[in-house]
Amino acid sequence: MRHEKDWYKDQVIYQIYPRSFKDGNGDGIGDLKGMAEKLDYLKELGVTAVWMSPVYASPNVDNGYDISDYRQIMEEFGTMEDWERFRDGAHERGIAIIMDLVLNHSSDRHQWFRESKKSRNNPFRDYYIWRDPAPDGGAPNGWLSVFGGSAWEYVEERGQYYLHFFAKEQPDLNWDNDETREGIFDIIRFWNEKGVDGYRVDAISYLDKGLDGRADMSEAFGTSSCANLEGTHRHIKDMVKKTIKPDNLMTVGEVIIRNDQDARDYTSAASGEFDMAIAFVPPIVEIKTWSPERFKREVEENYECLKEDGWWARFLSNHDKPRQVSLYGDDKRYWKESAKMLGCYLHTLPGTPFVYQGEELGMTNYGLPSIEDYDDIDTKNYYHTMIQEGAAKEEALAQAQSVSRDNARTPMQWDESPNAGFSPSRPWLPVNPNYTQINARQQMEDPDSIFQFYQKLIVLRKENPVMVHGDFRLCGPKEGPVIAYTRSLGEETWLAVHNFSDREIWFEHENVSEDSLVIISNYKDPKLKEGAVQLRPYETLVIRISLQSN
Ligand code: GLC
Ligand code: CA
């Protein structure tokens, strides 16, 4: 595909979690063949790019985020030919391919690590981060891994510990070693040559570990204190310059953003790193801290911060978060209204929208009945830690159910046939029983469905540059559950209003009038008056306003 300058700005990117998308060979696990079968579905939805979570060879300790061979396809997902068929089918339909690059760590089964752990003087000895034990024989320091427990693991053969920020089967790569970096850059070039259009770069904020005392990881979620150190930015710039810029590929980095400076460092054109950033927030933190007020504040701040020289990745869901309608909306009484409202919010903000599989159907959280039903390593560790700390089983399970990443990973709900049409066999993770009411087949036929609402949003975005390039201005009160803003480009001004609550609320804006043109809304008859609109539960609407009367 051709990659014009800034091409990523007009995209609508759809994230596929391959394990849960569609099973093409009947073994209960989603795969590339299944993905290819659903390309027409994606075309019909209207998305212009697909980001697939990792499909490389992996022992699946962290579902593909532990890679044992970056040049091979995971057996369960198919072969390189299957990948190429998917690529060709996508490109024929004008859909770009974004691969997930996991470069902070590899699997402990990767050949580099298998060699590295053998001795202190083998050719791969410095590919990972090894340290001598502390004087008492324990770990070199008290750092904790993101998934719980120590971030260090002892290896007999070397008499040393290696560092792992995630599971112990995910040893961190040593980016300060020239050969490691060259090896990594060759992997990227390999995929460039295969015709990939861009990358989502996983957990990339910690390449420089700051082990010399600049960082501290001794608290749970302490990763932010060792994020974004000088060496991390140096390594990213080097990688982007050598492997990404020559082909003008798209990049989105999954990073830690603590302030405006971090956002600019990662995503301004001037700094030469990524085109956009996905800011990582642990699900448990997001569940506890989100609010419409916080959304308003953050959207305004990061708009101001990047409007001159940067761009935004917009997402409400991914494979690491609970389902958006369950988290930010109401997945019962106002299920359809709130799912549409969230979609409209996502697509009308400045930036490139990322839609996570099933979001376009309003798929909801499924609290699996017992801890044995869970697959996610993070959920299991979390549950067992709670039990160890004295929590009752029911309490630990309830917590795990609300934060589990498996909420987003239950199989895609295609139709009302057994296993939701995902697979003829028992799926690797249970299907949400609500698939008989929530599924793609029904929604594709129903003009009032969430799916068709997403279709409309995507068409609007393709046809109206104001949605992509318009200036952004927050309006209305900073407090309260209504998020409203204008987007303006030339003569055109659109006002978007979203009610993040189940209450009826009047929203006032001097340029609203009874006959303002309604671009899109989730209720049939928006209640527009002179200077105000009466919002119903989870109502969303976009209207064209005229600023002339000002
Ligand atoms: C990222 C991924 C997550 C994975 C982790 C370790 O946060 O999104 O799924 O577990 O990195 O690779
Ligand atoms: Ca399969």
Side-chain angles (χ1 to χ4, degrees):
M1 285 176 96
R2 286 182 48 219
H3 304 122
E4 277 136 33
K5 186 169 178 297
D6 292 350
W7 68 280
Y8 56 88
K9 293 186 178 172
D10 319 294
Q11 305 297 308
V12 177
I13 300 175
Y14 188 89
Q15 183 190 352
I16 291 184
Y17 195 70
R19 217 175 175 71
S20 306
F21 191 61
K22 172 77 179 138
D23 178 13
N25 70 346
D27 64 354
I29 299 173
D31 50 43
L32 286 156
K33 191 159 164 274
M35 282 161 62
E37 283 169 27
K38 293 297 178 185
L39 277 164
D40 285 332
Y41 171 83
L42 298 177
K43 178 83 188 155
E44 188 153 343
L45 179 58
V47 296
T48 57
V50 162
W51 146 31
M52 61 182 95
S53 280
V55 294
Y56 318 95
S58 163
N60 281 313
V61 169
D62 188 20
N63 280 352
Y65 284 92
D66 47 323
I67 299 171
S68 52
D69 188 340
Y70 291 81
R71 291 179 175 81
Q72 297 282 329
I73 298 295
M74 189 191 305
E75 244 170 79
E76 286 170 328
F77 288 171
T79 61
M80 190 59 85
E81 288 67 49
D82 293 328
W83 183 88
E84 285 164 358
R85 259 192 292 274
F86 179 80
R87 172 200 62 197
D88 294 343
H91 283 170
E92 275 158 28
R93 291 166 179 82
I95 297 174
I97 305 264
I98 315 292
M99 295 292 274
D100 208 320
L101 279 177
V102 187
L103 307 175
N104 174 72
H105 44 268
S106 73
S107 159
D108 61 344
R109 309 265 188 93
H110 192 285
Q111 185 237 349
W112 292 345
F113 189 75
R114 284 192 276 121
E115 293 299 325
S116 190
K117 68 186 273 204
K118 281 185 183 158
S119 67
R120 294 187 192 205
N121 49 19
N122 70 78
F124 294 89
R125 63 185 173 268
D126 292 327
Y127 271 58
Y128 295 84
I129 298 169
W130 295 94
R131 289 289 183 278
D132 290 335
D136 67 354
N141 65 28
W143 286 10
L144 297 173
S145 94
V146 176
F147 292 158
S150 172
W152 295 98
E153 185 73 12
Y154 186 70
V155 170
E156 203 73 53
E157 293 96 312
R158 281 185 68 138
Q160 285 184 312
Y161 285 84
Y162 67 86
L163 183 67
H164 61 90
F165 277 2
F166 296 90
K168 68 177 189 319
E169 296 86 353
Q170 292 169 300
D172 281 48
L173 286 155
N174 178 13
W175 279 67
D176 292 332
N177 179 31
D178 295 346
E179 290 168 19
T180 314
R181 278 200 320 280
E182 275 316 312
I184 291 170
F185 296 173
D186 280 345
I187 292 166
I188 304 176
R189 293 186 188 109
F190 172 87
W191 287 99
N192 289 353
E193 276 160 31
K194 288 225 160 274
V196 162
D197 304 288
Y199 297 100
R200 178 262 189 190
V201 191
D202 184 65
I204 199 74
S205 279
Y206 333 104
L207 301 181
D208 175 355
K209 312 296 176 191
L211 268 168
D212 49 8
R214 283 172 302 148
D216 180 17
M217 281 252 301
S218 46
E219 281 168 51
F221 303 126
T223 38
S224 67
S225 57
C226 73
N228 312 346
L229 297 174
E230 178 275 328
T232 294
H233 289 295
R234 182 164 32 87
H235 290 321
I236 293 173
K237 286 189 215 311
D238 186 40
M239 170 182 85
V240 168
K241 189 172 142 214
K242 290 183 177 151
T243 65
I244 303 293
K245 288 291 173 208
D247 296 314
N248 202 19
L249 303 184
M250 186 212 95
T251 54
V252 50
E254 188 207 24
V255 294
I256 302 286
I257 294 188
R258 300 159 304 184
N259 51 44
D260 283 1
Q261 191 56 45
D262 287 345
R264 276 193 292 265
D265 287 346
Y266 280 119
T267 55
S268 69
S271 73
E273 299 191 17
F274 301 120
D275 296 323
M276 309 172 259
I278 293 176
F280 181 77
V281 179
I284 185 133
V285 175
E286 181 68 7
I287 291 170
K288 286 189 185 147
T289 62
W290 93 271
S291 69
E293 286 87 358
R294 198 195 85 194
F295 279 3
K296 280 184 258 197
R297 210 172 46 239
E298 286 178 356
V299 163
E300 187 169 46
E301 281 170 12
N302 66 31
Y303 177 71
E304 289 304 321
C305 168
L306 295 176
K307 68 176 183 196
E308 302 301 338
D309 182 37
W311 197 250
W312 311 265
R314 295 293 175 193
F315 66 97
L316 294 169
S317 292
N318 59 40
H319 64 294
D320 292 330
K321 292 182 68 182
R323 287 284 174 184
Q324 68 190 44
V325 67
S326 302
L327 176 56
Y328 308 119
D330 174 342
D331 62 9
K332 300 196 173 63
R333 179 145 181 224
Y334 297 109
W335 165 71
K336 193 188 274 189
E337 290 82 356
S338 63
K340 289 182 180 176
M341 186 276 286
L342 292 167
C344 188
Y345 174 63
L346 180 77
H347 285 84
T348 52
L349 287 172
T352 298
F354 284 67
V355 175
Y356 179 69
Q357 68 181 42
E359 164 189 336
E360 75 280 19
L361 307 174
M363 277 177 63
T364 63
N365 280 356
Y366 175 27
L368 295 167
S370 105
I371 193 70
E372 280 75 45
D373 298 323
Y374 282 92
D375 171 85
D376 178 16
I377 179 169
D378 195 28
T379 311
K380 289 188 202 159
N381 290 348
Y382 179 76
Y383 175 86
H384 293 299
T385 309
M386 278 193 76
I387 299 280
Q388 269 164 24
E389 288 168 357
K393 281 195 172 158
E394 304 71 55
E395 188 199 338
L397 181 63
Q399 278 279 350
Q401 284 171 335
S402 80
V403 301
S404 178
R405 304 190 297 179
D406 283 342
N407 282 314
R409 302 177 182 184
T410 59
M412 184 72 181
Q413 293 164 207
W414 292 109
D415 57 40
E416 49 279 270
S417 72
N419 304 322
F422 164 74
S423 169
S425 324
R426 195 183 131 117
W428 70 280
L429 193 67
V431 175
N432 190 322
N434 67 14
Y435 72 90
T436 48
Q437 292 96 52
I438 302 180
N439 64 62
R441 196 203 58 77
Q442 282 179 8
Q443 294 199 24
M444 288 170 83
E445 286 168 12
D446 172 8
D448 187 43
S449 67
I450 300 163
F451 178 87
Q452 295 209 19
F453 192 81
Y454 266 70
Q455 272 183 321
K456 281 181 209 133
L457 286 165
I458 295 170
V459 170
L460 280 173
R461 215 171 171 278
K462 287 179 182 162
E463 292 177 349
N464 297 278
V466 64
M467 265 173 98
V468 180
H469 299 287
D471 288 342
F472 168 88
R473 201 154 154 198
L474 205 60
C475 39
K478 298 247 186 277
E479 304 304 316
V482 177
I483 304 185
Y485 42 86
T486 53
R487 304 288 312 271
S488 317
L489 188 70
E491 299 289 281
E492 192 80 359
T493 296
W494 288 11
L495 171 68
V497 187
H498 318 286
N499 181 4
F500 274 72
S501 83
D502 58 5
R503 278 176 285 139
E504 293 212 353
I505 302 180
W506 280 94
F507 172 80
E508 292 175 9
H509 191 287
E510 56 178 350
N511 301 105
V512 173
S513 84
E514 232 162 300
D515 41 39
S516 299
L517 177 79
V518 177
I519 309 278
I520 191 165
S521 73
N522 62 345
Y523 281 81
K524 284 206 181 62
D525 50 345
K527 295 198 184 307
L528 301 169
K529 307 258 162 15
E530 287 308 308
V533 41
Q534 188 184 3
L535 298 168
R536 284 153 291 184
Y538 294 100
E539 182 154 354
T540 185
L541 79 165
V542 180
I543 57 176
R544 179 194 278 152
I545 57 172
S546 146
L547 293 179
Q548 258 68 23
S549 59
N550 253 334

